[in-house]
């Protein structure tokens, strides 16, 4: 039974608390959060201990592993302390918004046989994973292009934009990782964005939409289409195009009902509304991989380096938007 | 160049006039209709001769073939006269509503090497035909069941109900033939009907809906679902179910556009509204088969006996509704 | 916290054990099964007590409710004893294969304020329920027809056929209840069946396929299409057809991936293979309704009378096949 | 009756010959082609006159209009001579591969009230047109993004690559025009290409794939995804994404048949194989617009300036690939 401390009791922390407790081989032992009621409420629901200070959990020798779901700015510090305390780590994306902090963190932990898995949950979505596995098995021949459509149902609050690090580091980061999951490393990045003329995004120097085009080391091309809003819900699709055919992962709806009327036919319901609904199976599968990798004493399938590499692509996209140039990735 | 006389200048006659003229190997030479303006208008549009009396065309030695699209009650008389005049015949369904007249007609023509093709146009619909061909090629293994969904967009005028011969002889007749096209001969027929509580159908002793279940000589079961009205258009579908899989022919829409909104996703447009739109390619392919069979000096793929056999099934369904019993088909 | 005893530790008992423990408001306290290892294995997995004799659980005053998932022949006895012991009951379908035993059971319990919910899980399938709710809300106008497609992926073992009570009582029973869920009571039943020429079904005097057509008290028509085998998986579909439109509940697949190749396009994966996968959410929702109805001190939404009524339709279908006649339902 | 001379009797000329003759209000009077057998064969099939020299048709005062479907290099010369001869012109795309020649042509004809329609047939595809019309009617609110997928089933012969003007001028030109049809003028263009490592494209300094991203004057973003080959056929799709929803035009298949087997479900057939099948209705509608615009004495809905503007975007894409920079369009 893997004993897990959870850092962060907010929305995503609650998702992880549920994944931990529903997994047959893990036990939630601590919930730590600087907001006392958040920590205690979640801890009580799952009969775990609670604290405002993560140190309490790190010093508990019975704790095997730490799941970091706290504010982004705290990630590198908590990763460092957790690794040095001998704990296995599963950390929510992104590692940090600042490459220097990421590299400093890695320097500090690299010599301590770090086990750090990154929470790129979409890699564990059954549809995206099936595309990867069938493509890797050769079903569609050499892969020439991947297309990722990723649109949120609604923009975040304006206040959040200021601290988010911007669309590429905050939202597209998932798509950069998905691109790497499907195609490996990239060598070139182009991007174009739009505010849709909305004051909110202009004030924050941020974007309502972005399109990123990248060249993989393999020669394949990748397109990412992002939007901060989408009338019909959380649009999450992927196409892998190869010489022998193509695989498309479509959206999910709550039921299999289709309606027919004088106005239209075969109308499905809205797509699953947001990440908690769409990616709940992915969060559970992600945590299962965490437990399995620890049990098998091997590296997790997605680690610290993947978290850094996704941020490298985000930085390149930011530079491309600023300069109007294609950006080369070196050592990407 | 096949020289064709058309009997009947109504809606369906106009469809055939167009098929004849668009076929590269045929020429419309006569249009005969008891309504003078109908005959002359259609004839002028295609530079054909016109007459109120079919006899004018039958006596024209340059006429090779006759297409009978006149009122049902005139069919057997026109078939008989056309065959005796040495013309090839393509006759709209049904041959007649009265089995005795059908059999008398056959008696009269049987000795004259009759070439009589029946206008069961749906056999030539590309989707239904593809199902038949793939099933016949063994793709789905032994066929165990066929399901036909056939719903008209709107009921016919009340006045028509009285002369139509009833739903089974007038509307389901197409589905009985489709069932025979897919499964061959039948041995048992059950039916249940409903007026939907509508005065119009009760007054005419007719039906708003019917469900027919039949057993084929092969042992396969067939279900026909009929409705006189359908909010979303002309619902024409077919499923062939076999041991190795299934083939479904779906509805057709005018374009490939799908819409997505806050209320629904993947909504297609209404299905093609009625038989002229849905089955235009079938009418053209039907006429092409007529020309080809004549050229190749062989029997048409669907003939007089098929017209009679469909009516036998209609009569059995009528009897089943009246008696509440499964009706055995002998010599079907 | 509702304390529940589970009778029956077989495949379906295991499904229920999981639903009970995953429900936040219930606790599995006893597992009783005449096969000792079955009882103890399941009990240990969920830290419940086990016994070969249900009486141990019935005499435990801390037990609030009983979930009967044992062999069909034991259902009426266990319902009777559980009600008399003051327990709430959730019983798997069918109540019994014998109407006399069902009626005797009801006689014995009727005076004891029985709370007996019947395990017609498909009523709780999110897609079928959505169809019911949208139709009930008037979206498609008066409902004129319902069509149920229900095909198992593979036939049961030959040995099971002999004790199953036959296809209508064992398999179609679910569809009879679904028909009642969608359309209420029925007044007429017709049926036609086929063995597909298979010795296995002929020997057992049972069927490989069945088609049932029924008239509802409302005048609507219902078609049930059953097959004991289906190459592409567990085919579970439903169409409700009304004056203003139609609602169709389609099959479910494991992922949203579609493939495109030189041979075909938009190919989805196989449908969810069998009832445990397809109906797991339904089993959980069914148990939730059980808990909620008890909490709210009201009758369950599907009860003993529904279990009896479904069997009445099964008996009518059996009679229709035997006599070749439409069977009237009285007091249905 | 519009009397039309056709210049060019190759594959596309034959398509136009058929559209002209099937249109009720036009008549094919001349077929001119430098290859004598091509000219005479096509002319005889439609009972037109033939010549090796277009001048014969231009000097025929009975000729109202000219359809230019000859080699690209001859377009500007034939446009000029036709306009000066007082003929209405429908010219296949592209006008020319050389902007200077295009501008010189316009200079020469501008003062002669030129009626020159450009053969951007896809604007007349019923699905793409429906998207445009519904979007223009406001159904999806302000349009924020358009995505065009355009993949040929197979690359052209290597010999053709050398004279084609390159992928952007030859193939993407259609998509540039479609982008303009949906979104109006553009102000910025980015592009990335790949040879897929194929010698054929490398030798010709051409591309196997291209992705173009453009910003419209309206602020909307447009993505064009091109491939010279596609295993599943001629992939022609479009998505218009707006604040209130989205409209997607999908691919077309020959029939509405879907297959189900142990391996997969809902598998459709291959998409319509190439432009003659997919766009035949578009070619007919295009010619109908030509006739209608002449009759109504108005400018055609797509003209000379549209042909030039599409080439401006192609040149910008070429520059972007060469420089790795986003290219600004001025006066676009």
């Amino acid at each position: 039974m893997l004993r897990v401390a959870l850092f962060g009791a907010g929305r995503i922390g609650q998702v992880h608390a549920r994944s931990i407790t529903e997994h047959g081989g893990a036990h939630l032992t601590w919930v730590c959060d600087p907001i006392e009621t958040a920590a205690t409420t979640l801890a009580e629901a799952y009969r775990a201990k609670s604290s405002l200070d993560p140190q309490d959990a790190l010093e508990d020798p019975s704790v095997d592993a730490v799941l970091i779901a706290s504010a982004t700015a705290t990630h590198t510090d908590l990763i460092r302390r957790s690794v040095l305390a001998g704990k296995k780590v599963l950390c929510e994306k992104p590692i940090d918004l600042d490459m220097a902090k990421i590299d400093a963190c890695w320097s500090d932990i690299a010599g301590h046989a770090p086990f750090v898995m990154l929470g790129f949950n979409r890699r564990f979505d059954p549809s995206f994973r099936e595309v990867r596995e069938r493509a890797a098995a050769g079903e569609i021949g050499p892969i020439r292009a991947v297309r990722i459509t990723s649109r949120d149902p609604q923009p975040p609050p304006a206040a959040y934009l200021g601290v988010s690090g911007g669309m590429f580091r905050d939202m597209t980061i998932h798509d950069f990782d998905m691109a790497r999951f499907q195609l490996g490393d990239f060598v070139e990045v182009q991007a174009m964005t739009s505010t849709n003329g909305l004051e909110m995004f202009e004030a924050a120097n941020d974007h309502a939409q972005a399109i990123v085009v990248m060249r993989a080391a393999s020669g394949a091309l990748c397109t990412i289409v992002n939007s901060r809003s989408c009338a019909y819900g959380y649009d999450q699709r992927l196409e892998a195009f190869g010489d022998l055919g193509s695989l498309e992962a479509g959206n999910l709806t709550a039921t299999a009902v289709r309606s027919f009327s004088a106005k239209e036919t075969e109308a499905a319901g809205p797509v699953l509304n947001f990440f908690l609904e769409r990616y709940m199976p992915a969060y559970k599968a992600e945590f299962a991989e965490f437990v399995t990798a620890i049990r098998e004493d091997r590296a997790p399938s997605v680690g610290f380096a993947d978290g850094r590499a996704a941020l490298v692509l985000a930085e390149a996209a930011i530079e491309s938007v600023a300069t109007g140039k294609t950006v080369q990735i070196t050592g990407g």
Side-chain angles (χ1 to χ4, degrees), chain A:
Chain A
M1 190 67 60
L2 189 78
R3 296 171 62 88
V4 184
L6 173 64
F7 297 166
R11 186 171 60 173
I12 191 67
Q14 291 165 31
V15 169
H16 287 300
R18 187 168 146 196
S19 292
I20 294 167
T21 51
E22 291 191 354
H23 188 284
H27 190 66
L28 179 62
T29 53
W30 282 93
V31 176
C32 304
D33 194 292
I35 300 174
E36 184 162 10
T37 55
T40 55
T41 304
L42 190 59
E44 276 165 23
Y46 294 102
R47 308 189 197 175
K49 284 172 275 189
S50 71
S51 171
L52 278 70
D53 185 356
Q55 196 59 30
D56 292 339
L58 293 176
E59 290 177 0
D60 178 345
S62 79
V63 169
D64 301 305
V66 160
L67 201 162
I68 303 175
S70 52
T72 297
T74 67
H75 286 184
T76 51
D77 176 56
L78 289 171
I79 290 173
R80 184 184 293 108
R81 289 161 62 191
S82 301
V83 169
L84 297 182
K87 312 301 187 193
K88 312 292 190 190
V89 175
L90 170 52
C91 181
E92 263 300 319
K93 64 89 221 170
I95 305 178
D96 197 273
L97 303 176
D98 177 347
M99 194 66 75
K101 282 180 66 186
I102 292 173
D103 289 341
C105 176
W106 183 249
S107 276
D108 292 346
I109 64 173
H112 297 79
F115 181 106
V116 182
M117 177 167 165
L118 248 289
F120 283 126
N121 59 299
R122 294 184 195 175
R123 289 193 181 214
F124 301 94
D125 174 79
S127 294
F128 297 151
R129 181 159 285 264
E130 180 181 326
V131 169
R132 176 67 199 127
E133 288 171 357
R134 291 170 68 175
E139 180 174 330
I140 56 172
I143 307 175
R144 302 303 186 182
V146 162
R147 173 155 56 180
I148 297 168
T149 303
S150 177
R151 292 163 172 150
D152 282 354
Q154 270 144 355
Y160 177 74
L161 288 186
V163 299
S164 70
M167 192 184 204
F168 290 116
R169 291 191 192 94
D170 179 54
M171 175 177 169
T172 323
I173 194 83
H174 276 297
D175 307 305
F176 288 125
D177 182 66
M178 180 55 60
R180 293 187 70 254
F181 179 51
Q182 300 286 344
L183 286 176
D185 289 330
F186 287 89
V187 296
E188 280 187 3
V189 177
Q190 270 179 359
M192 194 181 283
T193 61
S194 170
T195 60
N196 290 357
L198 296 172
E199 166 62 19
M200 169 184 173
F201 296 108
E202 285 169 2
N205 194 26
D206 208 340
H207 320 296
Q209 289 191 82
I211 298 174
V212 182
V213 181
M214 308 194 291
R215 185 191 309 282
S218 72
L221 302 181
C222 178
T223 318
I224 297 171
V225 171
N226 276 171
S227 172
R228 291 279 201 184
S229 60
C230 181
Y232 50 91
Y234 189 40
D235 190 3
Q236 297 284 296
R237 289 179 283 173
L238 185 144
E239 178 197 61
F241 176 83
D243 280 357
L244 302 182
S246 160
L247 293 163
E248 293 190 11
N251 281 311
L252 301 174
T253 49
T255 71
V257 176
R258 299 274 182 158
S259 67
F260 300 70
S261 70
K263 277 185 52 199
E264 70 221 336
T265 58
E266 292 190 27
V271 300
L272 288 184
N273 193 53
F274 210 12
F275 70 96
L276 295 185
E277 293 163 284
R278 165 62 191 253
Y279 289 122
M280 187 52 73
Y283 282 111
K284 296 181 84 159
E286 174 188 88
F287 186 73
E289 157 67 3
F290 181 60
V291 175
T292 302
I294 292 172
R295 270 192 197 152
E296 298 180 350
D297 197 20
R298 61 164 169 82
S301 62
V302 51
F304 193 96
D306 295 301
R308 186 188 190 283
L311 192 64
V312 167
L313 297 177
E315 299 295 341
I318 290 165
E319 181 184 339
S320 177
V321 169
T323 62
K325 292 185 186 167
T326 302
V327 174
Q328 312 298 316
I329 306 292
T330 49

